[in-house]
Short mmCIF file of all heavy atoms in Angstrom, two decimals:
data_model
loop_
_atom_site.label_atom_id
_atom_site.label_comp_id
_atom_site.label_asym_id
_atom_site.label_seq_id
_atom_site.Cartn_x
_atom_site.Cartn_y
_atom_site.Cartn_z
N MET A 27 -21.31 -19.54 -27.31
CA MET A 27 -20.17 -19.89 -26.46
C MET A 27 -20.68 -20.34 -25.10
O MET A 27 -21.48 -19.65 -24.46
CB MET A 27 -19.28 -18.63 -26.30
CG MET A 27 -18.01 -18.87 -25.50
SD MET A 27 -17.17 -17.31 -25.05
CE MET A 27 -17.29 -17.41 -23.26
N LYS A 60 -11.01 -10.02 -24.03
CA LYS A 60 -11.60 -10.90 -25.04
C LYS A 60 -11.41 -12.36 -24.61
O LYS A 60 -10.33 -12.75 -24.17
CB LYS A 60 -10.91 -10.68 -26.39
CG LYS A 60 -11.55 -11.43 -27.54
CD LYS A 60 -10.91 -11.01 -28.85
CE LYS A 60 -11.32 -11.90 -29.98
NZ LYS A 60 -10.15 -12.28 -30.82
N GLU A 97 -14.31 -27.29 -19.29
CA GLU A 97 -15.17 -28.15 -20.09
C GLU A 97 -15.82 -27.27 -21.14
O GLU A 97 -16.59 -26.36 -20.82
CB GLU A 97 -16.24 -28.81 -19.21
CG GLU A 97 -17.04 -29.87 -19.96
CD GLU A 97 -18.27 -30.33 -19.18
OE1 GLU A 97 -18.43 -29.88 -18.02
OE2 GLU A 97 -19.07 -31.10 -19.73
N PRO A 119 -18.89 -17.62 -5.32
CA PRO A 119 -18.98 -18.48 -4.13
C PRO A 119 -18.46 -19.91 -4.33
O PRO A 119 -17.99 -20.51 -3.38
CB PRO A 119 -20.47 -18.49 -3.80
CG PRO A 119 -21.17 -18.12 -5.06
CD PRO A 119 -20.23 -17.29 -5.86
N GLU A 141 -25.88 -15.64 -9.69
CA GLU A 141 -26.16 -15.58 -11.12
C GLU A 141 -25.91 -14.14 -11.57
O GLU A 141 -26.50 -13.21 -11.01
CB GLU A 141 -27.61 -15.96 -11.36
CG GLU A 141 -27.97 -16.05 -12.81
CD GLU A 141 -29.43 -16.49 -12.96
OE1 GLU A 141 -29.67 -17.70 -13.00
OE2 GLU A 141 -30.30 -15.60 -12.99
N ILE A 142 -25.02 -13.98 -12.55
CA ILE A 142 -24.66 -12.64 -13.00
C ILE A 142 -24.88 -12.54 -14.49
O ILE A 142 -24.52 -13.45 -15.24
CB ILE A 142 -23.18 -12.34 -12.65
CG1 ILE A 142 -22.98 -12.39 -11.14
CG2 ILE A 142 -22.73 -11.00 -13.22
CD1 ILE A 142 -22.17 -13.53 -10.65
N GLN A 143 -25.50 -11.46 -14.93
CA GLN A 143 -25.60 -11.21 -16.37
C GLN A 143 -24.71 -10.02 -16.68
O GLN A 143 -24.82 -8.98 -16.05
CB GLN A 143 -27.03 -10.87 -16.76
CG GLN A 143 -28.01 -12.01 -16.58
CD GLN A 143 -29.44 -11.52 -16.57
OE1 GLN A 143 -29.83 -10.70 -17.39
NE2 GLN A 143 -30.22 -11.99 -15.61
N LEU A 147 -19.55 -7.42 -25.34
CA LEU A 147 -19.35 -6.69 -26.58
C LEU A 147 -18.98 -7.67 -27.70
O LEU A 147 -18.53 -8.79 -27.44
CB LEU A 147 -18.24 -5.66 -26.41
CG LEU A 147 -18.50 -4.55 -25.38
CD1 LEU A 147 -17.22 -3.77 -25.10
CD2 LEU A 147 -19.61 -3.61 -25.89
N ILE A 190 12.26 8.86 -26.60
CA ILE A 190 13.12 7.69 -26.83
C ILE A 190 13.84 7.27 -25.55
O ILE A 190 14.09 6.09 -25.32
CB ILE A 190 14.12 7.97 -28.00
CG1 ILE A 190 14.78 6.68 -28.47
CG2 ILE A 190 15.21 8.97 -27.61
CD1 ILE A 190 13.96 5.89 -29.42
N VAL A 194 14.17 1.36 -22.97
CA VAL A 194 15.44 0.68 -22.76
C VAL A 194 15.92 0.19 -24.13
O VAL A 194 15.14 -0.38 -24.90
CB VAL A 194 15.28 -0.51 -21.80
CG1 VAL A 194 16.58 -1.32 -21.69
CG2 VAL A 194 14.83 -0.03 -20.43
N ARG A 202 25.87 -11.64 -27.75
CA ARG A 202 25.87 -10.79 -26.55
C ARG A 202 24.59 -9.94 -26.58
O ARG A 202 24.36 -9.18 -27.52
CB ARG A 202 27.05 -9.81 -26.51
CG ARG A 202 28.43 -10.41 -26.51
CD ARG A 202 28.90 -11.01 -25.21
NE ARG A 202 28.92 -10.13 -24.05
CZ ARG A 202 29.09 -10.59 -22.80
NH1 ARG A 202 29.21 -11.89 -22.57
NH2 ARG A 202 29.10 -9.77 -21.78
N MET A 250 13.04 -20.87 -16.71
CA MET A 250 12.36 -21.38 -17.89
C MET A 250 12.78 -20.52 -19.08
O MET A 250 13.11 -19.36 -18.92
CB MET A 250 10.85 -21.27 -17.71
CG MET A 250 10.32 -22.18 -16.60
SD MET A 250 8.67 -21.70 -16.11
CE MET A 250 7.78 -22.14 -17.62
N VAL A 255 10.78 -12.60 -29.86
CA VAL A 255 10.63 -12.48 -31.32
C VAL A 255 10.66 -10.99 -31.67
O VAL A 255 9.87 -10.21 -31.14
CB VAL A 255 9.27 -13.08 -31.78
CG1 VAL A 255 9.12 -12.96 -33.29
CG2 VAL A 255 9.13 -14.52 -31.30
N LYS A 299 27.32 -2.91 0.50
CA LYS A 299 26.25 -2.69 1.48
C LYS A 299 26.60 -1.54 2.44
O LYS A 299 25.74 -0.72 2.75
CB LYS A 299 26.00 -3.99 2.26
CG LYS A 299 24.93 -3.81 3.30
CD LYS A 299 24.19 -5.06 3.65
CE LYS A 299 22.97 -4.80 4.52
NZ LYS A 299 22.90 -3.53 5.20
N LYS A 300 27.86 -1.50 2.89
CA LYS A 300 28.25 -0.42 3.81
C LYS A 300 28.10 0.94 3.15
O LYS A 300 27.63 1.90 3.76
CB LYS A 300 29.69 -0.62 4.28
CG LYS A 300 29.80 -1.66 5.39
CD LYS A 300 31.20 -1.69 5.98
CE LYS A 300 31.31 -2.89 6.93
NZ LYS A 300 32.70 -3.31 7.12
N SER A 336 22.48 20.41 5.70
CA SER A 336 21.34 21.28 5.43
C SER A 336 21.39 22.38 6.47
O SER A 336 21.55 22.10 7.66
CB SER A 336 20.06 20.45 5.57
OG SER A 336 19.04 21.20 6.18
N ASN A 361 23.82 13.07 -7.00
CA ASN A 361 22.44 12.79 -6.60
C ASN A 361 22.43 11.42 -5.91
O ASN A 361 22.61 10.39 -6.55
CB ASN A 361 21.54 12.79 -7.84
CG ASN A 361 20.07 12.59 -7.48
OD1 ASN A 361 19.74 11.81 -6.59
ND2 ASN A 361 19.21 13.28 -8.18
N ILE A 372 23.29 -3.73 -8.01
CA ILE A 372 24.63 -4.29 -8.26
C ILE A 372 24.78 -5.57 -7.44
O ILE A 372 24.70 -5.56 -6.22
CB ILE A 372 25.74 -3.26 -7.94
CG1 ILE A 372 25.67 -2.12 -8.96
CG2 ILE A 372 27.11 -3.92 -7.94
CD1 ILE A 372 26.69 -1.03 -8.75
N MET A 403 26.26 11.35 -13.31
CA MET A 403 26.88 12.67 -13.50
C MET A 403 27.02 13.34 -12.14
O MET A 403 26.12 13.25 -11.31
CB MET A 403 26.01 13.54 -14.41
CG MET A 403 25.84 13.00 -15.81
SD MET A 403 27.41 12.79 -16.69
CE MET A 403 27.78 14.52 -17.03
#
Side-chain angles (χ1 to χ4, degrees):
Chain A
M27 183 192 117
K60 186 173 169 225
E97 188 191 355
E141 185 178 271
I142 298 111
Q143 294 163 45
L147 297 168
I190 193 82
V194 174
R202 300 284 302 168
M250 294 164 68
V255 181
K299 179 153 190 342
K300 280 188 188 157
S336 141
N361 183 321
I372 291 179
M403 297 301 286

